[in-house]
Amino acid sequence: MVTKKPLFFWVFHRYRGLQLLLLVVIGVTVFFRVIPLELQKRIINRAISLKKMDLLFMYCGFYLGAVVLAGGLKYLINVLQGYLGEKLLYEIRSELYQHVLRLPLPLFRRTPPGMVITSLTSELNGVGDFLGSAIAVPVINVLTLLTFAGYLMYLNPLLALLSFAIYPLEIAMIPMLQNRLNRLNQERIDVARSLSNTIGEAVAGVREIQAHGGYPIERKKFEGFIATVFSLRQRMNIINYGIKFSNNFFQNLGPFILFLLGGYLAMTGRFDLGALVAFLSAYEKLYDPWKELMNYYQDFQDSRIRYKRVMDYFDAEPEYPLAPTDREPYKLRGRIEVKDLDYVAEGQVQLLGGISLHLEPGEQLALVGFSGSGKSTLALVLGQLYSYDKGHVLLDDKELKTLTKMDTSRNIGFVTQQPFIFDGTIRENLLYACTSLLATGGPGEKESLPDREQILHLVREVGLEEDILRFGLNAVVAEDRQESLAPLLIKLRERFQRQWRSDAADMVEFFDVTRFLYHRTIYGNIIFGDPEREEHELDNLPKNPVFLKLLTDTGLYEPLLDLGRKLLEQSVMLSKDLGQDLVLMEDIPIAPDQFEHYRELVRRMYGEQLNQLTGRDNELVLRLALQFIPAEHDIVALPVPLEEKILEVRHKFIEEIGGKDLLQCQFGEEGDIPAEIKAKTDKGETVDFSIYCPSQYLYTKSVLDNILFGRVQRDQPGATEKMQQLVVKLLEEEKLLDEVLDIGLDFQVGSKGDRLSGGQKQKVAIVRALLKKAPILILDEATASLDNTSQARIQHMLETDLKGKCTVVAVVHRLDTVAAYDRIAVLKAGRIVEMGQYDQLMAAKSIFYGLRQASAATLDAAG
């Protein structure tokens, strides 16, 4: 188990060949580090004193070669150390992460996510750095230390012994300080974990904090931890600097002895000058490996503490082995038998007692009862997510406790009341279980994932089709699919224009080059398309010299600045009169990431004339005008002359970037091009912008916008739904509905599925479990967030598609849906108090009867 492995296990049992290569390089490096010392002595004593130029050049050449070679080898050592450290850190994290994911669920109930994150990331960073140098640093520095020490003894034994006399003092002092530093570091790690947990909890619960104004409470928590961290860091700094002071003191004490005694010996003729210079150089270099060894000792202590802290926290045995070692994973039929099952939670609280039940393959059981009766706990035990204490749970006569996680994951589908949706696409979430089975599959397992037809069949069955279709219609088609879909969507566009253009005119603003577009920005009206280069995006245009020249030459620059000034003036007036912040004013064309810039500009405006603004301020004002949408930002009215001016500039713009070919595309073949534009000369094809052309696919627009060749007017109630219905009808007639649904499957759901509603998450989770086609399906209030229609659809699917094919255990909260189950188990206080078929339990007029009557009364009151 990974948590039992000592720190140096990773050093001596991984990458031995690379470690051996490192040792060889170290040995060669040490040899070339000592050569320059001897060459110094020879340069002074032989070349300089004897005035031999040939010897001077030769020794200096050897000296330079040795220095360069030693430096190059040192660089190679550092690269190898870094590689080893990163590889070992990669393996530690990988093995530890797999271990953590397999730990019992109760451990995660008492372990904050922030602690797990910091343990696997920041706390192990230093460990990786240490492991990379765990062999190289001590070996190279000990060898260097011994080599230099031997050379010093060779030069002068007396001076060498006196120089070495100070090291025992340092050896005694540094560990004492280091032990104190270790204790403080342990405290710091624990406090840092708590701080991470507090931050993680606050971020996760930010809605509750904002809803209840819990800012002072959270600030007090946070400041308490950072105050403790501050105190610990200060004390650690004092000791750290004390260690550095000691190192520096002893480092400079040695040269003092050498200058005093070595100078005396040189002056009395008992020590030549070249040897003294070499001795001083060797002594200075002697301290480098010593210092590195001291640093190595500190890194080792720090890494040992970090490593032990992390491994100790997760030092728990997984309850079940990951995979069988001597057989293939079982393929079960779905028979479930529970005998005298007890489950005791942490704290010795018994949640289940004496549970017994039996299900044949394909039968369906509903678990009902009062809140806290143990329904969900029983479902979790049957899914091997909780480990039971007494009794037996048999799947096809095999004890659940003896099955591996691979056995249960292949044979049990599980859907919780609040399913987790992973960051990624809907498709990736739907195929999550199947992908996992495929990744761990042995002989006989399927070699492919469910195809599109299978996925979409279940999507329709659970009522997720409409949501995914909406995602697909509003998505931009991926580049790898555009070539095949573009001609088909253009064909749909032509049909839509022929059949419904006149009927949709009040709901869709079509892309018409001769008309001003009130549901597009001023910028979009000018370019009548979309930019394809970053420098032409709206945020960058106010400082784009080419675009500014176009505005200036056409006389549009000053009118747009005037519009921006009016927008800003009205923003100031509204914020002052209504007491609103700019952030809250939706009828102002200011994006969220621009608020701070405009706040600052508004502050500078007070007491100044807007027409006196220059430079960066004018860029902000111009951008405000360019992102103004007349139909949505009714804070000011757009003057008619300005609309006409913008249309003139649009034609000028299109002509300059696209010429006659593009104008022909816009205005048609015969007689539609205005005379002043028809006379323009061709300027070549566009590469900077994609202009809206009726006969071309709009690569930057959604599927819906491409078919409509326009944009639905948001201010028209029901317009979006009506247009989507018309488009869906076309897609069905052209047999393209599945293609758009397939595009919708690639919708990015966001972190934890935040872009999906609660009902959408549950539907995704249900499809995810059904695609696995496991013989056992456990539903823990899996439809709690769904509306009545969606619940009825899924219940119908259970009663038809899965009846007799899959053993179902469902925790049910709506008792009007349980009549079709083969058995109903009523739980109270962790025990089954009634079990039977629906008609039997109703006829008995006992506990279930009372629950059913109460449920019916609640539904009648709600309806």
Side-chain angles (χ1 to χ4, degrees):
M1 190 167 67
V2 62
T3 56
K4 300 295 186 183
K5 296 176 180 177
L7 181 60
F8 273 89
F9 166 86
W10 306 97
V11 177
F12 296 119
H13 294 80
R14 292 286 197 276
Y15 306 107
R16 293 178 180 176
L18 195 57
Q19 299 278 20
L20 181 60
L21 172 63
L22 190 57
L23 290 176
V24 172
V25 176
I26 287 171
V28 177
T29 303
V30 172
F31 173 75
F32 282 101
R33 289 181 69 178
V34 77
I35 286 180
L37 301 176
E38 179 63 20
L39 289 172
Q40 287 181 16
K41 186 181 75 171
R42 297 191 179 194
I43 288 171
I44 295 173
N45 290 345
R46 295 187 183 181
I48 296 177
S49 63
L50 299 178
K51 298 181 180 181
K52 292 187 176 182
M53 294 297 294
D54 56 339
L55 289 180
L56 179 63
F57 289 143
M58 182 179 69
Y59 289 146
C60 287
F62 287 154
Y63 181 91
L64 180 61
V67 169
V68 171
L69 190 55
L73 291 172
K74 180 63 175 176
Y75 172 77
L76 177 59
I77 290 172
N78 289 334
V79 171
L80 291 174
Q81 285 180 194
Y83 177 80
L84 272 171
E86 292 301 323
K87 287 293 290 184
L88 292 173
L89 182 60
Y90 169 86
E91 293 199 9
I92 293 174
R93 281 177 170 158
S94 179
E95 290 191 28
L96 183 59
Y97 184 60
Q98 292 300 312
H99 173 78
V100 169
L101 293 180
R102 294 175 54 207
L103 293 178
L105 285 185
L107 182 142
F108 292 97
R109 297 170 66 178
R110 64 174 185 269
T111 303
M115 197 285 297
V116 179
I117 294 170
T118 55
S119 296
L120 287 168
T121 54
S122 58
E123 289 187 21
L124 287 176
N125 283 337
V127 176
D129 294 337
F130 170 77
L131 290 176
S133 60
I135 289 181
V137 169
V139 170
I140 191 172
N141 287 293
V142 168
L143 287 177
T144 302
L145 197 64
L146 293 176
T147 303
F148 285 175
Y151 185 69
L152 291 177
M153 291 293 292
Y154 159 73
L155 292 175
N156 192 301
L158 177 60
L159 279 179
L161 291 174
L162 288 174
S163 301
F164 300 153
I166 62 175
Y167 286 101
L169 297 175
E170 191 170 2
I171 291 174
M173 182 178 295
I174 298 301
M176 180 180 66
L177 295 173
Q178 185 64 48
N179 288 334
R180 177 58 180 162
L181 187 65
N182 290 345
R183 289 193 293 270
L184 292 174
N185 196 26
Q186 290 178 5
E187 294 181 43
R188 183 197 61 78
I189 292 174
D190 293 338
V191 175
R193 285 179 176 177
S194 300
L195 175 60
S196 297
N197 297 337
T198 299
I199 296 172
E201 184 181 65
V203 172
V206 68
R207 293 180 182 175
E208 295 297 318
I209 294 171
Q210 293 187 2
H212 301 292
Y215 313 111
I217 298 174
E218 299 306 318
R219 179 175 179 175
K220 184 177 180 181
K221 290 181 190 176
F222 183 77
E223 288 182 348
F225 284 117
I226 61 176
T228 305
V229 171
F230 172 78
S231 175
L232 289 170
R233 298 283 300 197
Q234 283 294 96
R235 291 152 66 189
M236 289 176 66
N237 285 339
I238 291 172
I239 297 176
N240 257 326
Y241 294 141
I243 293 174
K244 290 182 179 180
F245 168 78
S246 301
N247 285 335
N248 290 332
F249 173 76
F250 288 118
Q251 181 181 7
N252 291 291
L253 185 60
F256 166 76
I257 297 173
L258 292 178
F259 283 129
L260 184 64
L261 184 57
Y264 170 76
L265 293 175
M267 292 170 65
T268 57
R270 286 181 281 177
F271 201 33
D272 60 71
L273 185 60
L276 179 59
V277 171
F279 197 99
L280 287 169
S281 296
Y283 184 80
E284 287 182 0
K285 294 184 180 296
L286 183 68
Y287 196 77
D288 290 337
W290 175 255
K291 186 177 180 180
E292 287 198 34
L293 286 173
M294 290 295 100
N295 291 335
Y296 174 83
Y297 176 73
Q298 289 180 278
D299 291 341
F300 166 67
Q301 294 295 332
D302 180 69
S303 299
R304 181 178 62 84
I305 292 169
R306 289 173 179 269
Y307 182 81
K308 189 174 186 303
R309 267 288 196 265
V310 171
M311 294 304 176
D312 285 351
Y313 197 93
F314 299 113
D315 190 17
E317 191 77 35
E319 293 178 300
Y320 305 99
L322 183 61
T325 56
D326 55 353
R327 59 173 175 81
E328 293 299 317
Y330 290 124
K331 292 186 177 180
L332 305 178
R333 295 171 52 246
R335 183 174 182 273
I336 300 175
E337 185 173 5
V338 181
K339 300 178 181 177
D340 301 322
L341 173 68
D342 289 353
Y343 175 73
V344 179
E346 292 181 343
Q348 300 303 308
V349 178
Q350 184 166 355
L351 299 182
L352 297 176
I355 300 291
S356 296
L357 57 88
H358 175 83
L359 288 173
E360 288 297 325
E363 289 189 328
Q364 298 184 356
L365 170 70
L367 301 177
V368 303
F370 301 96
S371 177
S373 61
K375 307 183 295 295
S376 293
T377 302
L378 178 56
L380 290 167
V381 170
L382 295 179
Q384 206 193 50
L385 298 176
Y386 284 175
S387 181
Y388 49 95
D389 303 283
K390 296 180 181 178
H392 301 277
V393 177
L394 304 176
L395 304 184
D396 285 11
D397 298 321
K398 296 174 177 60
E399 185 70 47
L400 182 60
K401 278 187 174 182
T402 66
L403 300 183
T404 66
K405 295 306 293 184
M406 191 174 291
D407 291 320
T408 55
S409 65
R410 275 161 166 37
N411 291 283
I412 299 176
F414 202 105
V415 184
T416 65
Q417 181 178 356
Q418 296 179 327
F420 190 89
I421 304 299
F422 297 91
D423 189 11
T425 65
I426 291 179
R427 189 194 310 275
E428 289 168 344
N429 274 279
L430 295 179
L431 295 176
Y432 184 84
C434 296
T435 303
S436 176
L437 292 181
L438 189 63
T440 58
E445 291 296 329
K446 292 184 178 181
E447 296 183 358
S448 61
L449 295 171
D451 58 25
R452 185 176 76 181
E453 183 179 351
Q454 294 172 301
I455 296 173
L456 294 183
H457 169 72
L458 288 175
V459 161
R460 292 185 172 101
E461 287 293 314
V462 303
L464 193 57
E465 178 182 22
E466 184 177 341
D467 300 302
I468 294 180
L469 182 59
R470 186 172 67 256
F471 297 148
L473 287 173
N474 289 284
V476 177
V477 179
E479 290 185 10
D480 59 343
R481 306 182 65 172
Q482 288 176 346
E483 184 176 353
S484 59
L485 279 177
L488 302 176
L489 294 180
I490 292 174
K491 181 180 178 182
L492 287 180
R493 178 193 299 169
E494 294 169 351
R495 282 196 57 186
F496 184 91
Q497 295 289 322
R498 288 196 306 269
Q499 294 180 222
W500 293 308
R501 181 181 176 92
S502 58
D503 295 337
D506 294 335
M507 292 178 282
V508 178
E509 185 174 62
F510 295 106
F511 298 141
D512 187 340
V513 75
T514 65
R515 300 180 61 183
F516 186 87
L517 305 177
Y518 295 93
H519 292 266
R520 290 280 289 165
T521 63
I522 299 297
Y523 166 63
N525 267 280
I526 294 174
I527 69 170
F528 196 68
D530 294 295
E532 298 199 358
R533 295 173 60 180
E534 185 177 353
E535 60 263 35
H536 296 126
E537 292 179 357
L538 194 150
D539 286 347
N540 299 319
L541 273 184
K543 54 189 175 184
N544 186 303
V546 177
F547 186 75
L548 290 176
K549 185 176 185 303
L550 173 68
L551 297 183
T552 303
D553 292 347
T554 56
L556 189 58
Y557 182 73
E558 286 299 331
L560 287 182
L561 277 185
D562 186 57
L563 175 63
R565 293 177 190 127
K566 290 179 180 178
L567 288 168
L568 208 51
E569 285 176 338
Q570 293 299 316
S571 302
V572 175
M573 290 176 61
L574 278 178
S575 62
K576 290 173 64 178
D577 295 344
L578 303 180
Q580 289 182 305
D581 196 331
L582 292 177
V583 178
L584 305 177
M585 299 168 64
E586 296 181 355
D587 52 353
I588 295 177
I590 299 177
D593 61 343
Q594 300 170 353
F595 288 138
E596 290 303 323
H597 299 296
Y598 284 103
R599 277 199 189 100
E600 182 60 30
L601 180 57
V602 168
R603 293 189 193 102
R604 291 198 302 273
M605 282 174 49
Y606 291 115
E608 297 184 17
Q609 295 295 320
L610 275 173
N611 57 13
Q612 295 177 356
L613 298 175
T614 59
R616 172 62 175 161
D617 292 341
N618 271 338
E619 290 180 9
L620 289 172
V621 173
L622 179 60
R623 185 171 68 178
L624 192 61
L626 289 173
Q627 59 197 28
F628 173 64
I629 302 175
E632 297 180 13
H633 305 135
D634 54 1
I635 189 172
V636 299
L638 188 68
V640 174
L642 183 55
E643 293 181 18
E644 296 173 351
K645 189 68 176 177
I646 290 172
L647 286 177
E648 292 178 14
V649 176
R650 174 195 294 174
H651 297 154
K652 173 77 172 175
F653 178 80
I654 293 176
E655 176 226 349
E656 290 196 353
I657 70 164
K660 291 180 179 178
D661 292 341
L662 190 54
L663 289 171
Q664 197 71 49
C665 173
Q666 294 298 323
F667 292 102
E669 294 292 336
E670 299 293 337
D672 294 327
I673 305 177
E676 68 274 13
I677 296 179
K678 185 182 291 186
K680 304 294 184 180
T681 57
D682 187 2
K683 299 292 182 67
E685 295 185 359
T686 178
V687 293
D688 294 338
F689 297 88
S690 58
I691 304 300
Y692 302 151
C693 178
S695 62
Q696 294 179 1
Y697 181 77
L698 311 181
Y699 292 95
T700 59
K701 293 300 176 187
S702 68
V703 172
L704 183 63
D705 288 347
N706 260 285
I707 295 174
L708 298 178
F709 194 66
R711 178 165 293 179
V712 177
Q713 300 181 23
R714 297 181 182 177
D715 54 354
Q716 297 295 319
T720 300
E721 292 74 13
K722 177 65 175 177
M723 289 303 101
Q724 287 184 354
Q725 290 173 7
L726 294 178
V727 168
V728 168
K729 183 178 180 180
L730 285 178
L731 291 171
E732 289 175 339
E733 292 174 357
E734 296 292 334
K735 294 182 171 49
L736 289 176
L737 193 61
D738 284 2
E739 292 292 337
V740 178
L741 285 169
D742 196 53
I743 294 170
L745 290 175
D746 292 323
F747 176 75
Q748 291 286 338
V749 300
S751 176
K752 301 179 183 178
D754 281 346
R755 299 181 68 190
L756 301 179
S757 67
Q760 289 169 340
K761 291 179 183 179
Q762 284 201 321
K763 291 175 184 178
V764 168
I766 291 170
V767 175
R768 178 166 61 196
L770 293 175
L771 282 172
K772 189 162 66 168
K773 296 183 178 179
I776 298 172
L777 178 64
I778 300 176
L779 306 174
D780 184 9
E781 296 196 36
T783 61
S785 297
L786 303 183
D787 57 78
N788 293 341
T789 302
S790 297
Q791 288 194 41
R793 291 180 65 118
I794 293 172
Q795 187 59 43
H796 176 73
M797 180 183 62
L798 293 177
E799 296 171 7
T800 55
D801 293 0
L802 298 184
K803 194 72 170 181
K805 302 175 184 176
C806 175
T807 305
V808 177
V809 177
V811 177
V812 181
H813 69 289
R814 282 192 51 174
L815 300 188
D816 59 317
T817 64
V818 300
Y821 282 86
D822 297 298
R823 277 189 210 72
I824 301 169
V826 184
L827 279 81
K828 183 178 181 180
R831 296 181 180 276
I832 295 179
V833 293
E834 280 187 328
M835 185 183 298
Q837 295 180 341
Y838 180 83
D839 293 338
Q840 295 172 336
L841 296 178
M842 290 297 290
K845 294 189 176 182
S846 185
I847 296 176
F848 177 78
Y849 179 82
L851 289 172
R852 180 68 183 90
Q853 294 297 103
S855 174
T858 301
L859 289 174
D860 290 341

